[in-house]
Amino acid sequence: MTIVLAFMHVLLVFDAIIFIPNVLGKTAGIANETLTFITFGAIIISALFTYLQSRTRFGIGSGFVLFTGSYSAFLLCSMDAVKMGGLPLLASMSLLTVPIVFLYTFFIRFFRHIITPAVGGVVILLIATSMVPIGLGLWAGGEASGSAVTLARLGVGAVTVLSLTVLMLFGCTALRLWSPLIAMASGYGTAFLVGELTFEHALSAPWFGLPPVSAWPGWELGIQGVHVPLLAAFGMAMMASMIESTGNIMLVQQISTRNFRRVSYDQVQSGLYCDGLSKVAAGLVGTAVPSVYCDNLPLIEMTGVASRRVGALGAAILLVLAFMPKVSGVILDMPGPVIGGFLIVIAALLFHAGFGLVSMTKLSNQHGLILGLSLVVGLVAGGKSFFPGVVAPALSPLLQNSVAVGGFTAFLLSLLAYLAPKRSIEGVFRADVGELSAVQRLLASGRERLGLSGDEFNILSLCCEEVFCHMASEDSRDRERSLTLRTAKTAEGYFTEMVCGHKMDDINNFAVPESFYQATPDELSKLGLVLFSQYARDVKHLEISGYSYISFLI
């Protein structure tokens, strides 16, 4: 079962993994030996870092089924780099700009109010909207795909979509588990009957193959001023990849975790470190810049299987495909209507997942407007028919990429909203309950600045006291640890955040005892949190890089 599920994941992403190497080979006049080498390198890197993403050792890998492969936002800048200085310049540009990913990942805790699950949800929604025309193009054919629109193609895609949808909606647990394979078999069978199944790639490919080491392109060490615009384009593509990868890791957590409650930024961080290392490896090998995919993640939701073994075995299958071009050719020969039908259903599931991330937290008017504008801007950019001639052809794959532009918009608007001046107070205290009097003095001194009424001041004081005690009561060997308190007046109320440099139990993880006479000491110690929950709203508890962040509104 694990082998079949892993193979289904590989079927959906393999074409994308080798997409940019194939495009470079067809447009840049790369020698066959070199093209074979960079394609081989792209598959090997995908296999290695897909496996590492399924692990969590040494803080590298998200611990989920996440596949890695070439990323379309790098398409045009990669083509420009190859035309300007060959594959060595592409490798150097990748290595020079990948520190952006590592810097963002290391300082991700400072972006916790900017790259939120809601922003990740908008990115996923934009991916879903961009996937629909791709799926329809593969399904129906036309000029873009080089195939004529025929009733046979429409029928093959319809059989794939209907069989998959019916099994997912009405099938029992066992049928849902096998629904992707059954739907794909139905599509293949229909394609064979109507003459839409060919094996062009498989028949012409050798069974085994290994590129010569001498085909390694190397690096360009003579970077000059003429390369600065290209470097900027790669930097923008790195940021787009970084934002989308953040959303993808948030998404895989949501659909892979039972009783999902909150995003783990530690897992986001370790997944991004692995993503950054994959980009370094691609630069060293001289192949296309990779990123993590979400195209195959709805398979987890379809089957209900999120085991990391699926990711590890998928990586093993990719490793085999790197050395067996014949088997790779079979995958590349999948009928367009079959894969197109799958993408349509996957897009529908991504819409559901994206809305789930957006709805995880209650949105204020400001943040709702930011997310709405980001979605609209992304759709306008992805439409490509609006404002024709405005976007320079050299930047069109980036500025007409709905995910990149929408993600940038959400990032910039969220950053501006966070940096906007607000009436606030801040203080740093020792994480000791003996500091409660100092906390009360800070709140009292800032009461007039914040415009707190008598009731609001009492409620804020009560909530801050309970959170302070919860954070300060955790055992720690460091008796000198500190705790930072920030309170600001916003349109929704009074936003308060407390930060300390150690981890603790989730502040939302408590229960009211059935009987106070029979309550345990641990249950009685949580009664303050019960009182806190009656007055505070939108309570969040994040743990990032060893720091704990608890925030709430009153």
Side-chain angles (χ1 to χ4, degrees), residues 280-494:
V280 172
L284 295 175
V285 172
T287 189
V289 187
S291 188
V292 295
Y293 291 147
C294 70
D295 304 30
N296 61 303
L297 295 185
L299 273 180
I300 297 173
E301 198 168 0
M302 291 180 194
T303 61
V305 178
S307 170
R308 293 188 298 175
R309 284 179 294 178
V310 174
L313 197 56
I317 292 173
L318 286 172
L319 194 62
V320 171
L321 293 177
F323 294 94
M324 296 185 66
K326 179 76 74 175
V327 182
S328 303
V330 172
I331 296 177
L332 292 175
D333 284 327
M334 182 189 299
V338 176
I339 188 66
F342 256 85
L343 289 180
I344 294 299
V345 179
I346 284 174
L349 292 172
L350 285 177
F351 274 114
H352 171 254
F355 284 123
L357 282 174
V358 171
S359 62
M360 279 183 59
T361 55
K362 184 178 179 181
L363 296 178
S364 64
N365 291 333
Q366 184 186 61
H367 289 98
L369 180 60
I370 288 174
L371 297 181
L373 285 172
S374 304
L375 190 59
V376 170
V377 170
L379 291 174
V380 170
K384 300 180 182 178
S385 57
F386 303 99
F387 311 109
V390 174
V391 178
L395 296 177
S396 58
L398 189 62
L399 297 183
Q400 291 185 335
N401 182 316
S402 61
V403 179
V405 175
F408 273 129
T409 303
F411 178 84
L412 292 176
L413 291 179
S414 298
L415 179 62
L416 291 174
Y418 178 69
L419 296 177
K422 304 178 185 69
R423 284 190 288 173
S424 62
I425 58 173
E426 180 176 343
V428 181
F429 312 92
R430 285 187 301 108
D432 189 289
V433 291
E435 290 282 276
L436 279 175
S437 58
V439 173
Q440 294 293 345
R441 287 195 297 270
L442 173 69
L443 296 175
S445 65
R447 177 177 175 178
E448 183 177 350
R449 175 177 175 79
L450 295 174
L452 291 161
S453 65
D455 288 344
E456 290 170 336
F457 174 76
N458 291 332
I459 292 172
L460 180 61
S461 298
L462 172 81
C463 292
C464 288
E465 178 180 324
E466 295 302 336
V467 175
F468 190 96
C469 289
H470 175 73
M471 301 182 83
S473 62
E474 292 293 325
D475 293 333
S476 175
R477 297 180 181 179
D478 184 6
R479 297 288 97 188
E480 298 300 321
R481 67 191 191 278
S482 62
L483 190 153
T484 303
L485 182 151
R486 304 184 188 94
T487 299
K489 185 174 182 179
T490 65
E492 294 73 44
Y494 296 93

Side-chain angles (χ1 to χ4, degrees), residues 154-190:
L154 296 178
V156 173
V159 168
T160 304
V161 171
L162 288 175
S163 57
L164 183 57
T165 304
V166 169
L167 289 171
M168 288 178 58
L169 289 177
F170 307 109
C172 61
T173 303
L175 279 177
R176 285 187 65 238
L177 183 62
W178 295 99
S179 59
L181 183 63
I182 295 172
M184 189 163 288
S186 301
Y188 263 93
T190 308

Side-chain angles (χ1 to χ4, degrees), residues 53 149 173 208 292:
Q53 282 288 8
V149 180
T173 303
F208 301 97
V292 295

Side-chain angles (χ1 to χ4, degrees), residues 83-136:
K83 291 176 182 178
M84 186 179 295
L87 287 170
L89 183 60
L90 168 62
S92 296
M93 290 292 109
S94 302
L95 293 173
L96 288 174
T97 53
V98 74
I100 295 173
V101 177
F102 289 110
L103 287 173
Y104 164 76
T105 305
F106 184 78
F107 294 106
I108 193 172
R109 62 192 181 94
F110 297 108
F111 295 94
R112 63 190 181 279
H113 296 299
I114 299 168
I115 307 294
T116 62
V119 171
V122 168
V123 171
I124 298 302
L125 290 174
L126 289 170
I127 293 172
T129 58
S130 64
M131 194 176 288
V132 171
I134 295 173
L136 290 175

